[in-house]
Amino acid sequence: MNRGTRTIYILDTYSLIYQVFHAIPTMTGPAGQPTNAVFGIFRDLLNLVRKTKPDYLAAAFEGGEPTKRLEILPEYKANRAAMPDDLRPQIEVIKRVVHAFRIPVLESEGAEADDVIATLARKAEAEGIDVVICTADKDARQLLSDRVRILNLRKNEFLDVDGLQRDWGIRPDQVVDLLALTGDSVDNVPGVPGIGIKTAATLLQAHETLDGILENLDKVTGAKRKQSLADHAETVQRGRRLIELDDRVPITIDWSALELGGGDARELKDLCIECGFHGFLKEIEDHYKPPKAAWDYSTYEKVDSPEALASLADRLRGLDRFAFDTETTSTDPLRAELVGLSFAWEEGRAAYVPVRGPVWCKTLPAEDVISVLGPILADPRIEKIGQNAKYDMLVLTRSGVDVAGPITDTMVLSYLLESGERNHGLNQLAERMLDHTMIPISDLIGKGKKQLRMDEVEVDRVVEYAAEDADVCRRIALLLEAEIEREGLTELYAELERPLIRILADMERAGIRIDVDRMNTLSREFGTRIDEIEGEIHRIAGRPFNIGSAQQLRKVLFEEIGLKPTKKTPGGEPSTDQEVLEELAALHELPRAIIEHRRLSKLKSTYLDALPALVHPDGRIHASFNQVVAATGRLSSSDPNLQNIPVRTEEGRQIRQAFLPGRDDWSLLTADYSQIELRILAHYSADPALVEAFSQGRDVHSVVASRIFGVAESAVTSEQRRVAKTVNFGVIYGLSAFGLAARLGITQSEAATFIDAYFEEYSGVDRFITTTLESALATGRVETILGRRRPIQGIKNTTGRSRNLAERTAVNTVIQGSAADLIKKAMIDVVAAIRDERLEARMLLQIHDELVFEAPTSEIPRLAPIVRRAMTEALELDVPLEVDLGFGANWLDVVEIA
């Protein structure tokens, strides 16, 4: 390469697309659309334009059918697999990404992208321009020269003429001949059987060219190789014509148009929001956007005197609504100390009241602030606007303030509008809706080991940050409310999501008591069992090795024992993930033991060792219940995540034994919906057989088994019921014959037979799926039973059995989202009923379809029917709702309540 000269980067676009699609695990955007390839291309282009800054940049695309090569070989590329279903809808989005970066696209009718690249590369050389071809295609190696290099973006590795010599031992002018000899199975280019790259390179080193080899067959060593070359001489000559790139494609090159320019920041940000790539927003902002107009902080007030506090209280007391926010010492609301309060009442008008700060800063006593502002926050007539208001409510509760009145939570409103969106933070909302970048908290508290608490930051610096939070929150609320109204979601928020905010806050504040001694005992028992399994693994392997090392495990499984790898990692190594081990477990005892070791180790580390460390001084863990995470509308939990405690294994169930009521004379009450998703499926599908089974209280899995196996219900075996159960739940998630076969350990043809038999017997389910997909295709969204909406993109097939990611997401969202609506409504109704009956009982946990309560044992006979009635009557379905109730001294040992 010549330093100081101009450089052009040429993108082999489809090569890059396929690379990132296969390298990056499945990703979904807010509308349930696949986005992994879009993400990879976006990241590559952003890195390219920001860090490399080439003088020229172009993206080469295919120009239709490769007519010239098809004339040479009609079977050219005939073996190429069809584009994966989850990649197809990403292509148009990628083209929009390329356009948003303002990268010129070059293509020519009937020409392949490789030929366009060859033509552009040779023209650039002629102009004295250095060339970098971004591709993983080995055909491009024939273009290498003193001015042309190849860049593997995945590995950030360049290949030049010297690198080709080191790798293949040949010159660029010999690449076509080498590839003609080896052939290309991907493009269906035949080569010479038995000749690989190493042999082909040796032949070319000896005879220079393919013609030289064929003219000197008598000098080729090995009778079999010599005969093979003679037999395939015509084939290999044709292959050379297929592989040789055409550098004379009729394209017009306008060098000024290829100059690297500025991308369109608005288009790029819109694409990021559409796809959920929020991590790129700041990079786009920094690289493309001109400086924004300064935000006016001059109207923000610091309230640090009794007179200013009284004036603020008078102003707030006369309002119908205001935005509020808290500054604290911790992200854990039940451990955080209040540092200050901020309020906003009109655009640009906000105030900050400091109650803690450095000793040299003026603050107000917290008790004085609470005594003045607490009654206003507790006034039920005044609406409060907040961002993640649950956090602020919990913080203020610790200060003796019960925030009352209607709550408008911008985070929840944003979630209702874009449930598939992964980030509803205030900073992101400000970027998206106000085109405003908020003051980063790191500007105040720093990062890493020297990070400060907020009460250690100069109060004057906190004023702008805190008041901006409240001001921005109020501005965004107005925009979101208008959109909620337009989308017809006002009632869903007011009747379901808003009351749930307070309920979840109460649940988090209550927490649940943990038997730490029992956890520690179980941890020791699990540790002993894990050690025993480790010894058994080493015995089977014939030597000790690090079980946690994928590299060492790979060597034992595939090299020493000789098992066949079934999948590779993105880096090309044989995979040792759970799916692979489960497949290998049917063949050998070692992977079975590894699975057991991993399962027990995860239970021990995730729960038995971790949960005791999370216990508060009150002896309870206080998990956070997240209202805006799951795209289906379901609640999730974190710190800790209690949703994933396994209940299907004995070891998993033992963990539940350590969850206790708060007092010894109290009990836990558990209430679990029975087969709720299948009941919702029966309701939506109106399938007579499913509806009848649930209406008559029969075991739906046995009913389905009897129909698909053609046996009497009483004759259904446990294995047949297991198959039916897997199919029952599988149809909701779009389980394919391949997936069913893997789960049941049967052949794909057997699995396909079961699935076909199911849909034949339950045609109403088939109609429901088809109708749901047709509606999603027509409207671009799906809806749950209470009107929760999720945008869906990428619907291709509304009939048939094969489903892409978007289609699976559409059906799953309707079923799971409706189940989420149901249990949220049940939670609201149960809490209201407990309050009306003036019981001491309180709801502690929501885990999937199960609610957990604690109550005086003497209250259980009154509490149980209240809970059952509220849950079974929460929504009216075409099939009855059933709830399994139990009570006991811990979460495991419960006695069923009839």
Side-chain angles (χ1 to χ4, degrees):
M1 277 293 180
N2 300 302
R3 295 184 180 275
T5 59
R6 295 167 296 165
T7 303
I8 182 171
Y9 275 63
I10 309 172
L11 308 176
D12 185 357
T13 316
Y14 272 99
S15 170
L16 299 177
I17 289 171
Y18 271 90
Q19 263 195 296
V20 295
F21 176 76
H22 290 295
I24 300 174
T26 299
M27 295 172 60
T28 55
Q33 76 275 32
T35 57
N36 58 331
V38 183
F39 176 85
I41 294 297
F42 204 116
R43 180 190 57 195
D44 286 347
L45 296 184
L46 192 56
N47 286 338
L48 204 60
V49 299
R50 287 177 60 245
K51 298 177 181 179
T52 308
K53 299 178 182 177
D55 300 286
Y56 307 100
L57 183 59
F61 276 87
E62 305 290 349
E65 288 290 311
T67 51
K68 292 181 180 178
R69 290 184 176 85
L70 287 173
E71 290 172 2
I72 299 170
L73 180 67
E75 296 81 20
Y76 178 65
K77 291 191 175 182
N79 290 343
R80 282 207 171 183
M83 183 178 291
D85 286 344
D86 288 342
L87 175 58
R88 195 177 304 279
Q90 299 187 64
I91 298 300
E92 287 305 315
V93 184
I94 289 171
K95 289 181 177 179
R96 289 168 53 204
V97 169
V98 172
H99 178 266
F101 275 103
R102 296 299 185 258
I103 298 172
V105 171
L106 295 181
E107 55 190 346
S108 179
E109 185 63 32
E112 296 187 67
D114 291 347
D115 299 321
V116 173
I117 291 169
T119 300
L120 181 56
R122 294 309 182 217
K123 287 180 179 290
E125 282 186 288
E127 295 284 337
I129 299 170
D130 288 340
V131 178
V132 176
I133 302 171
C134 301
T135 185
D137 191 341
K138 57 183 179 290
D139 289 358
R141 294 184 171 203
Q142 64 189 273
L143 300 174
L144 291 170
S145 71
D146 290 343
R147 285 195 176 274
V148 179
R149 292 184 296 167
I150 293 171
L151 171 62
N152 185 322
L153 284 172
R154 297 280 66 69
K155 299 178 180 179
N156 193 32
E157 292 178 353
F158 285 92
L159 181 74
D160 57 13
V161 173
D162 291 339
L164 176 66
Q165 181 67 41
R166 288 191 299 272
D167 191 15
W168 282 357
I170 61 172
R171 303 182 306 271
D173 62 286
Q174 295 174 306
V175 167
V176 173
D177 288 351
L178 180 143
L179 294 176
L181 287 164
T182 61
D184 187 344
S185 59
V186 175
D187 287 344
N188 203 32
V189 176
V192 179
I195 292 187
I197 287 176
K198 187 174 181 180
T199 301
T202 301
L203 289 169
L204 288 169
Q205 289 162 4
H207 305 288
E208 286 291 320
T209 65
L210 176 60
D211 291 338
I213 295 169
L214 296 177
E215 290 169 1
N216 293 278
L217 286 179
D218 58 317
K219 297 179 181 178
V220 173
T221 59
K224 187 175 180 181
R225 180 181 303 158
K226 186 182 304 183
Q227 188 60 50
S228 187
L229 283 165
D231 292 344
H232 295 85
E234 184 179 342
T235 299
V236 82
Q237 292 281 16
R238 185 171 61 227
R240 178 163 56 181
R241 292 165 60 201
L242 292 170
I243 292 165
E244 187 172 23
L245 299 181
D246 180 2
D247 59 9
R248 298 179 181 275
V249 172
I251 54 174
T252 301
I253 307 298
D254 180 352
W255 292 106
S256 62
L258 297 182
E259 289 181 352
L260 180 64
D264 187 297
R266 185 71 265 167
E267 282 187 42
L268 290 168
K269 290 174 73 173
D270 287 346
L271 279 161
C272 285
I273 292 165
E274 176 185 325
C275 297
F277 303 155
H278 297 292
F280 294 144
L281 288 173
K282 189 170 189 311
E283 293 182 67
I284 293 167
E285 186 77 27
D286 292 344
H287 188 72
Y288 287 111
K289 202 71 179 289
K292 295 179 179 178
W295 190 264
D296 185 5
Y297 295 103
S298 65
T299 55
Y300 293 163
E301 305 171 19
K302 178 174 64 172
V303 178
D304 60 358
S305 70
E307 296 77 17
L309 180 63
S311 176
L312 174 64
D314 288 341
R315 181 185 292 124
L316 297 177
R317 207 175 283 119
L319 299 172
D320 293 327
R321 63 189 324 216
F322 57 76
F324 79 109
D325 189 36
T326 60
E327 300 304 329
T328 66
T329 58
S330 169
T331 56
D332 182 346
L334 297 177
R335 299 182 190 269
E337 297 294 333
L338 184 66
V339 174
L341 284 160
S342 56
F343 300 88
W345 52 92
E346 63 183 69
E347 187 169 306
R349 298 298 306 279
Y352 175 63
V353 186
V355 301
R356 290 168 66 101
V359 292
W360 61 88
C361 293
K362 187 177 181 182
T363 62
L364 290 171
E367 57 271 20
D368 292 351
V369 171
I370 294 301
S371 68
V372 173
L373 299 180
I376 299 171
L377 287 163
D379 189 336
R381 299 170 302 168
I382 303 176
E383 180 181 347
K384 317 303 188 303
I385 302 169
Q387 165 75 13
N388 189 18
K390 174 163 63 71
Y391 173 89
D392 303 298
M393 293 164 67
L394 286 169
V395 168
L396 289 167
T397 298
R398 297 186 67 229
S399 297
V401 178
D402 184 14
V403 177
I407 297 291
T408 294
D409 192 321
T410 48
M411 186 172 71
V412 179
L413 293 179
S414 172
Y415 170 73
L416 283 182
L417 290 166
E418 294 286 352
S419 61
E421 175 60 60
R422 290 178 176 84
N423 199 317
H424 304 276
L426 193 62
N427 291 347
Q428 287 73 28
L429 291 175
E431 288 280 359
R432 280 151 49 186
M433 305 189 74
L434 302 177
D435 198 26
H436 171 63
T437 300
M438 299 182 68
I439 300 170
I441 191 171
S442 57
D443 283 4
L444 276 72
I445 65 174
K447 298 178 181 179
K449 293 181 179 179
K450 295 184 178 180
Q451 182 174 300
L452 305 174
R453 292 195 316 268
M454 189 60 84
D455 60 336
E456 296 173 322
V457 178
E458 188 91 28
V459 168
D460 285 344
R461 297 184 63 210
V462 179
V463 171
E464 291 185 353
Y465 173 86
E468 181 189 48
D469 277 356
D471 184 14
V472 166
C473 182
R474 183 189 170 280
R475 297 188 200 210
I476 287 173
L478 299 178
L479 298 174
L480 289 173
E481 285 173 328
E483 200 168 342
I484 287 282
E485 180 70 30
R486 284 194 299 270
E487 291 294 324
L489 295 171
T490 302
E491 183 178 354
L492 180 64
Y493 177 74
E495 301 298 325
L496 196 73
E497 298 295 344
R498 171 184 275 165
L500 200 63
I501 296 170
R502 194 174 305 278
I503 289 172
L504 296 179
D506 289 342
M507 290 168 60
E508 290 185 19
R509 185 166 55 249
I512 188 168
R513 182 179 161 205
I514 293 294
D515 186 342
V516 174
D517 290 340
R518 179 60 180 154
M519 285 278 187
N520 291 336
T521 299
L522 286 173
S523 179
R524 289 192 294 271
E525 292 175 358
F526 276 41
T528 300
R529 177 63 183 137
I530 289 167
D531 290 342
E532 291 172 352
I533 296 172
E534 183 171 348
E536 183 68 7
I537 289 170
H538 292 162
R539 183 193 65 77
I540 297 169
R543 66 175 181 86
F545 67 97
N546 182 357
I547 298 171
S549 166
Q551 183 177 0
Q552 292 186 36
L553 178 58
R554 192 178 293 127
K555 184 175 182 179
V556 170
L557 288 175
F558 305 125
E559 295 180 21
E560 297 177 11
I561 293 180
L563 294 172
K564 185 177 179 181
T566 60
K567 189 171 72 173
K568 290 188 176 182
T569 67
E573 297 285 351
S575 173
T576 58
D577 67 14
Q578 185 71 11
E579 181 182 348
V580 170
L581 291 178
E582 287 174 357
E583 291 181 43
L584 297 177
L587 307 173
H588 197 276
E589 60 181 331
L590 182 61
R592 288 197 295 273
I594 295 289
I595 290 172
E596 182 69 0
H597 186 276
R598 285 185 179 180
R599 185 178 68 83
L600 292 178
S601 297
K602 184 175 181 180
L603 285 175
K604 184 177 185 296
S605 62
T606 305
Y607 299 109
L608 299 177
D609 296 340
L611 290 184
L614 297 175
V615 174
H616 283 236
D618 62 0
R620 304 167 81 99
I621 56 172
H622 298 264
S624 296
F625 291 95
N626 307 312
Q627 201 172 350
V628 300
V629 172
T632 57
R634 280 190 174 274
L635 296 171
S636 65
S637 66
S638 57
D639 304 317
N641 179 3
L642 300 178
Q643 305 280 349
N644 291 337
I645 295 179
V647 295
R648 295 179 182 176
T649 63
E650 178 58 32
E651 294 85 0
R653 286 192 293 271
Q654 286 180 28
I655 295 172
R656 287 191 167 206
Q657 201 172 45
F659 287 74
L660 309 173
R663 289 166 46 179
D664 293 340
D665 58 342
W666 284 40
S667 294
L668 294 183
L669 176 78
T670 62
D672 194 0
Y673 274 119
S674 171
Q675 298 175 334
I676 189 57
E677 292 181 6
L678 291 179
R679 291 175 191 270
I680 288 173
L681 177 65
H683 169 80
Y684 269 111
S685 68
D687 185 274
L690 271 185
V691 171
E692 180 185 34
F694 282 120
S695 298
Q696 294 178 357
R698 293 151 64 194
D699 174 32
V700 71
H701 300 315
S702 294
V703 171
V704 170
S706 72
R707 294 176 71 96
I708 64 175
F709 285 103
V711 299
E713 206 170 317
S714 59
V716 170
T717 66
S718 59
E719 179 60 22
Q720 288 171 332
R721 186 182 183 278
R722 183 176 77 93
V723 171
K725 183 176 181 179
T726 306
V727 174
N728 265 334
F729 287 108
V731 296
I732 299 174
Y733 305 111
L735 190 65
S736 64
F738 175 82
L740 181 63
R743 291 191 186 186
L744 296 177
I746 59 178
T747 66
Q748 285 193 50
S749 61
E750 289 174 318
T753 299
F754 287 141
I755 292 173
D756 290 341
Y758 177 91
F759 283 114
E760 186 175 335
E761 292 293 330
Y762 298 95
S763 56
V765 175
D766 208 6
R767 285 193 300 273
F768 157 68
I769 294 174
T770 299
T771 301
T772 299
L773 296 178
E774 287 175 345
S775 175
L777 182 61
T779 64
R781 69 187 187 196
V782 290
E783 293 191 11
T784 66
I785 198 166
L786 291 184
R788 186 185 309 277
R789 298 169 184 176
R790 183 180 184 184
I792 296 289
Q793 298 174 6
I795 302 292
K796 295 297 180 183
N797 303 306
T798 58
T799 58
R801 299 283 180 266
S802 178
R803 299 281 173 229
N804 66 21
L805 179 61
E807 290 150 10
R808 296 193 300 271
T809 299
V811 177
N812 182 35
T813 297
V814 174
I815 300 297
Q816 275 204 0
S818 296
D821 289 351
L822 171 64
I823 200 159
K824 286 179 175 178
K825 179 66 163 53
M827 292 169 71
I828 294 166
D829 292 350
V830 168
V831 168
I834 290 173
R835 183 181 60 243
D836 292 344
E837 292 293 323
R838 298 184 178 180
L839 299 178
E840 290 187 71
R842 54 184 180 176
M843 186 161 56
L844 305 182
L845 302 177
Q846 185 275 330
I847 309 294
H848 300 304
D849 304 322
E850 180 181 10
L851 300 177
V852 179
F853 304 82
E854 69 176 0
T857 303
S858 59
E859 273 189 5
I860 296 296
R862 292 175 60 198
L863 176 64
I866 288 173
V867 171
R868 173 170 276 142
R869 182 169 58 253
M871 292 179 71
T872 56
E873 295 178 1
L875 291 177
E876 187 175 341
L877 302 183
D878 292 339
V879 295
L881 292 170
E882 290 189 7
V883 175
D884 298 323
L885 292 173
F887 81 101
N890 59 65
W891 194 8
L892 174 65
D893 300 320
V894 293
V895 178
E896 184 179 350
I897 300 175

